[in-house]
Amino acid sequence: DVVMTQSPLSLPVTLGQPASISCTSSQSLVTSDGNTYLTWFQQRPGQSPRRLIYKVSNRDSGVPDRFSGSGSGTDFTLRISRVEAEDVGVYYCMQGTYWPRTFGQGTKLEIK
Amino acid sequence: EVQLLESGGGLVQPGGSLRLSCAASGFTFNKQAMTWARQAPGKGLEWVSSLRGSGDTYYADSVKGRFTISRDNSKNMMFLQMNSLKTEDTAIYYCVKGMTIPDSWGQGTLVTVSS
């Protein structure tokens, strides 16, 4: 199985400051047709997951532009340019290239 | 607007069975791949099973042979038949639209396996 490793697992951030979460896969997520199926989800306390970013860097409709995704191959990053109170929650990366699908362990973002 | 509504969760004894349902609306269901994912209490997300519009199915090793995913395109419904349940199957089960680039998630239904 492809292992997705996130770091850090806990991320205390001051309001208005940037934040960054790393996600590393044990195998390249590039498919034979050149796509990279790396997705980022946000799960706020008590809520279902919500997709933020798909195919590495495509931001979903309604997602604030302070969220951005980057990376390639096996190394990916989710960045928040200026953290707001509503960003508190757990962030997960997920690979959709291989079976079984696998998620990272989750990164808990909290306000310092 | 995409809506996914899970039902069928509850308390069941180890070795028992449950059938989860997902009612979908707001998109063309019969062509859409769908997924079940779960989250044990206080834990992370885990992929369980996916089903293509064509009918191809995929399962996590932890549930293979015990769980069966299916769909009724005439009713825009997806199902998860869970047999031989174990305590480690205790989780919130989510219905998810998509399987390669999942997007919308339902609110989830809680399955508790306990004696």
Side-chain angles (χ1 to χ4, degrees):
Chain A
D1 296 1
V2 174
V3 177
M4 304 297 288
T5 303
Q6 289 183 228
S7 65
L9 299 185
S10 178
L11 184 55
V13 184
T14 301
L15 286 173
Q17 292 301 301
S20 181
I21 300 171
S22 172
C23 174
T24 301
S25 59
S26 60
Q27 297 180 45
S28 172
L29 300 185
V30 182
T31 65
S32 56
D33 60 1
N35 286 304
T36 303
Y37 295 115
L38 187 283
T39 305
W40 288 98
F41 297 97
Q42 175 197 60
Q43 188 174 30
R44 290 171 171 152
Q47 294 188 13
S48 301
R50 166 201 183 196
R51 195 177 74 182
L52 298 176
I53 303 283
Y54 62 95
K55 289 174 69 175
V56 180
S57 59
N58 296 274
R59 193 168 49 244
D60 270 279
S61 174
V63 174
D65 60 8
R66 64 178 182 274
F67 288 92
S68 64
S70 64
S72 63
T74 61
D75 294 295
F76 306 95
T77 302
L78 176 70
R79 291 187 175 87
I80 309 173
S81 59
R82 296 172 306 278
V83 170
E84 297 188 6
E86 66 177 18
D87 300 335
V88 165
V90 182
Y91 292 79
Y92 296 92
C93 61
M94 190 214 89
Q95 65 82 17
T97 296
Y98 300 99
W99 298 103
R101 306 311 196 208
T102 45
F103 291 89
Q105 317 97 300
T107 294
K108 186 173 185 178
L109 187 149
E110 62 180 25
I111 303 301
K112 217 187 277 187
Chain B
E1 180 193 1
V2 173
Q3 291 196 341
L4 301 167
L5 184 61
E6 304 93 337
S7 60
L11 174 63
V12 61
Q13 291 188 338
S17 297
L18 274 179
R19 189 194 195 208
L20 305 184
S21 299
C22 170
S25 60
F27 61 98
T28 304
F29 181 78
N30 63 353
K31 297 183 184 302
Q32 180 64 57
M34 298 291 293
T35 290
W36 287 100
R38 67 185 180 184
Q39 187 169 36
K43 302 297 184 182
L45 300 172
E46 180 187 13
W47 173 79
V48 173
S49 180
S50 294
L51 174 59
R52 291 186 189 273
S54 63
D56 292 344
T57 59
Y58 304 85
Y59 297 95
D61 284 346
S62 58
V63 307
K64 200 173 294 183
R66 300 189 298 123
F67 290 11
T68 303
I69 191 172
S70 62
R71 64 197 300 159
D72 182 341
N73 289 335
S74 69
K75 297 181 179 177
N76 285 6
M77 298 281 294
M78 179 177 69
F79 307 99
L80 187 68
Q81 178 67 43
M82 304 187 297
N83 298 330
S84 303
L85 282 161
K86 305 176 180 180
T87 55
E88 54 263 41
D89 295 319
T90 294
I92 297 172
Y93 284 73
Y94 294 102
C95 171
V96 187
K97 175 173 170 280
M99 68 178 190
T100 297
I101 313 176
D103 50 83
S104 303
W105 295 59
Q107 287 304 301
T109 186
L110 177 62
V111 171
T112 303
V113 184
S114 174
S115 55

